[in-house]
Amino acid sequence: MLLRIALRKKPLKLTTLMTAAALAVAPMAAVAQENKGPPVLRDTETEQLLREYTRPILRAAGLEKQNIQMVIINQGVFNAFVADGRRIFVNYGAIMQSETPNQIIGVMAHETGHLAGGHLAKMREQMAQAQTQMIIAMLLGAGAMVAGAQGGGSNSGLANAGAAMFSAPGEMIRRNLLSYVRQQEENADKAGVKFLAATGQSARGMYETFKRFTDESLFAARGSDPYVQSHPMPAQRVAALEELARSSPYWDKKDDPALQLRHDMVRAKISAFMERQETVYRRYPLSNNSLPSRYAHAISTYLHGDLRSALTQIDALIQQQPNNPYFHEVRGQALLEGGKPQEAIAPLRKAVALSNNSPLIEMLLGQALVATGNNAYTDEAIAILRAAVARESEAPIGYIQLAMAYGRKGDYAQADLASAQAAYLRGDNKTARDLASRAKTRFAIGTPGWVKADDIVSAKPLPGQKSN
């Protein structure tokens, strides 16, 4: 189930180490725009694969117990970055453009290097120092200007020097910060190669990825000042990375064919959901009878309204891999979105069981149960959805469906609370407060529901959000 949701309740500065220095001296409008956060994509199959990619890397980095989360961003360009020390953000474009698991694993190893090195905290220190230096330099510049003005024409050179000092510190500090960023990028490369070697994996994919970026950026970077580049000078960095990567005894190690197939399946799924149908069929022509190609065709077919043909294609996939939970999930999703919620229940139950009770798939099952309009399913839907949101608390769809189920049962206090939680996760603070305020009047004072509603009423708006 590929879902697009807004970024969560806690403010996240989605700034990579590549852009942190620029934001240190950027207009506040740019920072506010960043804080709004791009939409997030949720999909159990893709997230599970990324977790399997990163788990051994995080273990090698000593971060296994830190509960590092993988977040997929709805952006088609190749990018990955870290934020707040608890999340690795990956554009879906990075997955799409990584032809092998090893390529995206290499990127994850690099980002883990930033986390393990504490680069975010160190960057904040550098930025704080830069602000202090800026103030001191500006004060010195002001003093020089005053001295020049008091000295008349004979000291006009001093006054001009003072004026220059007002503009010079920003450039000087920016260069110092960028130099610091470049060093951290190099350190992350080294750490990433180390983690890959420790887990018996090749660093070839990491090198291939950065080499491709270097080749693509040579023309654009020609003639530019290397000090204003947020990454190290590309040729130097990639050359150092190649030497380091080739020194690993695992340089020639290939990806396991089964893992390659799963990687290709996820790429096909993302293509089907995120790209135009003609693009999907150019990427996966009908002459291509591979499993990933058939997966893409089946999803694209149902998305474009041919439910009967899509079900035939999905059933053929299930026949080939009967224990693949995601084939049953997509069958249920196709039926649900095709206006057949009753028929969607059975494949979704199967998908939940095969996926070890994935909360996102549970939410889809709960949605199907609610959508039938059959009150006999209400208590089951509530139980399933409550279990899902307890383990996956940042997906608004779970609370939306829970609110509908409670409303059908006539429990309007819980319905208002669930609706308020969904609005809060979407960043709609006014609606969240209004619904939570109404929920408080329906709960007995001091009960768990009243306390949760009061927390939402009392919550402060995020930066850049309206308080009314």
Side-chain angles (χ1 to χ4, degrees):
M1 174 178 62
L2 208 63
L3 296 174
R4 299 174 182 84
I5 64 173
L7 273 177
R8 37 189 63 89
K9 55 190 176 184
K10 295 182 180 179
L12 297 176
K13 292 185 177 179
L14 302 182
T15 55
T16 67
L17 288 173
M18 295 184 294
T19 59
L23 286 177
V25 291
M28 287 304 295
V31 180
Q33 182 67 31
E34 288 287 333
N35 283 337
K36 291 180 181 179
V40 170
L41 298 178
R42 301 300 310 273
D43 176 65
T44 301
E45 182 176 13
T46 307
E47 291 175 0
Q48 178 62 28
L49 186 63
L50 290 176
R51 279 193 292 268
E52 291 182 30
Y53 285 167
T54 56
R55 189 177 295 122
I57 301 294
L58 293 171
R59 187 182 303 118
L63 299 174
E64 185 180 16
K65 297 181 180 180
Q66 299 301 313
N67 192 29
I68 306 297
Q69 299 177 22
M70 305 300 302
V71 181
I72 306 168
I73 301 295
N74 183 13
Q75 295 288 330
V77 297
F78 195 114
N79 196 17
F81 51 93
V82 293
D84 75 4
R86 297 188 302 111
R87 298 175 174 90
I88 298 177
F89 292 81
V90 186
N91 286 4
Y92 80 79
I95 304 170
M96 284 289 298
Q97 295 178 49
S98 296
E99 296 180 353
T100 66
N102 189 244
Q103 289 177 355
I104 192 70
I105 290 171
V107 173
M108 297 299 97
H110 171 89
E111 298 305 327
T112 301
H114 284 309
L115 292 175
H119 295 170
L120 290 171
K122 293 176 182 177
M123 175 56 71
R124 283 193 289 269
E125 293 175 5
Q126 290 288 316
M127 292 169 69
Q129 293 174 10
Q131 292 171 349
T132 302
Q133 294 173 30
M134 179 73 78
I135 292 172
I136 293 173
M138 289 181 67
L139 290 174
L140 290 174
M145 288 182 68
V146 170
Q150 290 177 342
S154 62
N155 282 333
S156 60
L158 183 60
N160 291 336
M165 289 181 70
F166 270 108
S167 59
E171 176 64 15
M172 176 185 68
I173 293 168
R174 184 167 64 88
R175 285 171 177 258
N176 288 341
L177 280 171
L178 289 173
S179 176
Y180 180 81
V181 172
R182 286 193 296 274
Q183 185 59 54
Q184 298 296 34
E185 291 292 337
E186 292 171 354
N187 290 342
D189 287 345
K190 294 175 183 177
V193 173
K194 175 184 175 182
F195 301 149
L196 289 167
T199 55
Q201 300 183 84
S202 173
R204 182 193 290 265
M206 182 176 170
Y207 162 71
E208 289 173 345
T209 298
F210 286 115
K211 177 66 165 60
R212 186 174 81 244
F213 288 150
T214 301
D215 293 342
E216 291 173 353
S217 64
L218 280 177
F219 180 78
R222 190 173 299 159
S224 64
D225 182 351
Y227 286 94
V228 304
Q229 297 177 29
S230 58
H231 273 62
M233 289 174 282
Q236 294 179 2
R237 178 183 174 192
V238 172
L241 176 59
E242 180 181 14
E243 181 179 359
L244 189 63
R246 285 184 179 275
S247 68
S248 168
Y250 304 104
W251 169 259
D252 289 321
K253 186 174 180 179
K254 304 295 184 183
D255 289 308
D256 180 83
L259 189 64
Q260 180 68 58
L261 176 60
R262 291 179 60 197
H263 184 79
D264 292 340
M265 294 293 284
V266 163
R267 294 175 70 211
K269 185 178 197 176
I270 293 174
S271 172
F273 273 105
M274 304 305 297
E275 296 184 310
R276 297 168 62 90
Q277 189 174 33
E278 54 266 33
T279 304
V280 174
Y281 278 85
R282 280 198 302 270
R283 192 182 296 276
Y284 301 98
L286 289 173
S287 58
N288 183 345
N289 198 40
S290 67
L291 198 64
S293 178
R294 291 161 54 201
Y295 197 25
H297 295 162
I299 294 171
S300 183
T301 299
Y302 109 71
L303 287 174
H304 291 85
D306 191 347
L307 180 59
R308 178 177 296 182
S309 176
L311 292 176
T312 299
Q313 295 176 52
I314 295 168
D315 288 343
L317 295 174
I318 292 174
Q319 186 175 7
Q320 185 166 344
Q321 289 189 355
N323 293 323
N324 187 322
Y326 310 115
F327 290 167
H328 295 279
E329 178 194 20
V330 78
R331 192 180 202 281
Q333 185 175 357
L335 286 163
L336 178 59
E337 296 181 6
K340 299 179 181 295
Q342 181 69 49
E343 295 179 38
I345 292 174
L348 289 175
R349 288 194 197 281
K350 185 76 170 178
V352 167
L354 291 172
S355 67
N356 194 26
N357 294 69
S358 159
L360 290 180
I361 302 179
E362 284 182 328
M363 291 177 190
L364 196 60
L365 173 58
Q367 183 178 353
L369 293 168
V370 171
T372 64
N374 187 343
N375 289 334
Y377 288 130
T378 300
D379 286 339
E380 181 186 4
I382 290 173
I384 289 172
L385 290 165
R386 284 179 65 89
V389 299
R391 289 180 292 125
E392 178 51 75
S393 61
E394 296 183 344
I397 186 176
Y399 290 104
I400 292 171
Q401 297 304 318
L402 194 55
M404 294 176 66
Y406 276 126
R408 180 160 293 147
K409 193 173 182 179
D411 189 341
Y412 300 116
Q414 291 287 0
D416 282 344
L417 176 59
S419 295
Q421 290 169 307
Y424 184 51
L425 288 173
R426 293 194 308 268
D428 186 352
N429 288 332
K430 183 180 186 303
T431 300
R433 283 197 304 272
D434 289 345
L435 290 167
S437 295
R438 190 169 70 185
K440 285 179 64 177
T441 67
R442 301 181 189 274
F443 285 111
I445 296 175
T447 59
W450 186 94
V451 171
K452 290 179 182 178
D454 186 61
D455 287 342
I456 294 175
V457 171
S458 304
K460 295 181 180 180
L462 303 182
Q465 293 180 336
K466 294 181 179 180
S467 59
N468 55 6

